[in-house]
Amino acid sequence: MRSAAGNDKGQTMQTKSIRVLFDESKIAARNEDIAKAVAASKPHDLLVVAVLKGSFMFAADLIRALHRAGLEPQVEFVHMSSYREATVSSGQVEILKDVESDVRDRDVLLVDDILESGRTLAFAKDLLMARGARTVKSAVLLEKPGKRAVQIDADYIGFECPDLFVVGYGMDVAHRYRQLPFVGVVETENEDRKEQ
Ligand code: IMP
Ligand code: MG
């Protein structure tokens, strides 16, 4: 399945289409599975911490699935920026927006879009454990295997992701495509365009 994703005006039209990797119904079904697994672990005073920005859509759907699974999670957000491009080996992480609630003695579920190097999730997990959380587990929509720079495994994984740059369902490239209700890969082809 392909989805048109806009085009540029001019002599040469750059057509960008999105090849769908994980469609809406697949994602929805997986969210229900993850929510049931979280509920089965009987979390204590559950706090869901969504890692902005990429996880916002996954988190919104997963939180509603958690409700359907009988849980009453509270919800927080954290926004971090990693310097992956500038300092590949140092893996520094800066907190742009911090959690506001007290996490002491609570079971925390970190929710993120993709687990790749693991730096962001490992940093957030260490931070919340240092603040006294009882447990910090993580749910990621996608996992890219073989890309880990630090030792961390997600407790709940939506799908294993091929080693491709993916967009949609909250994830972007240059601020675009977050609105797509599915996960896909951008495909670019140049086409000659005749004036109409
Ligand atoms: P890491 O695990 O610390 O390397 O961080 C992974 C983060 O990089 C994800 O949360 C995304 O924000 C971003 N990212 C990695 N791969 C992709 C991709 O294929 N598409 C969009 N964002 C990505
Ligand atoms: Mg992210």
Side-chain angles (χ1 to χ4, degrees):
M1 186 164 84
R2 274 162 207 279
S3 162
N7 52 53
D8 299 327
K9 292 205 169 80
Q11 283 296 120
T12 302
M13 185 171 76
Q14 208 181 41
T15 306
K16 288 186 177 176
S17 61
I18 309 285
R19 181 163 55 87
V20 179
L21 286 182
F22 305 105
D23 66 25
E24 284 185 76
S25 61
K26 250 192 186 160
I27 294 171
R30 206 63 199 106
N31 287 344
E32 299 301 322
D33 294 344
I34 294 172
K36 283 178 190 148
V38 173
S41 75
K42 302 206 181 312
H44 164 76
D45 199 9
L46 179 62
L47 179 67
V48 169
V49 176
V51 181
L52 295 173
K53 298 176 185 172
S55 80
F56 79 93
M57 206 176 275
F58 174 44
D61 285 345
L62 183 61
I63 288 160
R64 283 176 285 192
L66 291 172
H67 166 76
R68 287 190 287 274
L71 297 178
E72 293 185 355
Q74 292 187 2
V75 183
E76 277 278 2
F77 302 90
V78 69
H79 190 190
M80 294 172 291
S81 84
S82 63
Y83 294 97
R84 295 189 308 153
E85 278 137 58
T87 55
V88 172
S89 58
S90 79
Q92 287 179 49
V93 178
E94 185 190 359
I95 301 172
L96 302 175
K97 191 234 171 287
D98 205 342
V99 168
E100 289 160 18
S101 301
D102 194 345
V103 301
R104 261 176 299 175
D105 299 323
R106 305 183 73 170
D107 284 337
V108 175
L109 181 66
L110 275 167
V111 176
D112 207 353
D113 53 359
I114 301 188
L115 176 57
E116 195 174 21
S117 77
R119 288 193 188 100
T120 322
L121 221 48
F123 179 87
K125 185 172 181 171
D126 291 350
L127 184 76
L128 297 171
M129 284 305 290
R131 288 177 182 170
R134 197 169 84 144
T135 62
V136 180
K137 290 187 176 176
S138 53
V140 296
L141 177 70
L142 303 173
E143 187 205 18
K144 287 187 180 172
K147 306 284 276 189
R148 217 70 82 246
V150 299
Q151 178 53 46
I152 184 167
D153 291 317
D155 298 275
Y156 307 98
I157 296 168
F159 305 96
E160 224 177 67
C161 184
D163 191 11
L164 298 167
F165 197 84
V166 296
V167 297
Y169 200 61
M171 295 175 283
D172 74 311
V173 57
H175 308 292
R176 296 186 66 192
Y177 307 120
R178 290 193 198 274
Q179 83 286 358
L180 297 175
F182 52 82
V183 174
V185 179
V186 183
E187 294 187 328
T188 309
E189 30 189 280
N190 291 316
E191 290 177 355
D192 287 333
R193 182 186 177 191
K194 297 202 170 77
E195 293 297 325
Q196 293 175 358

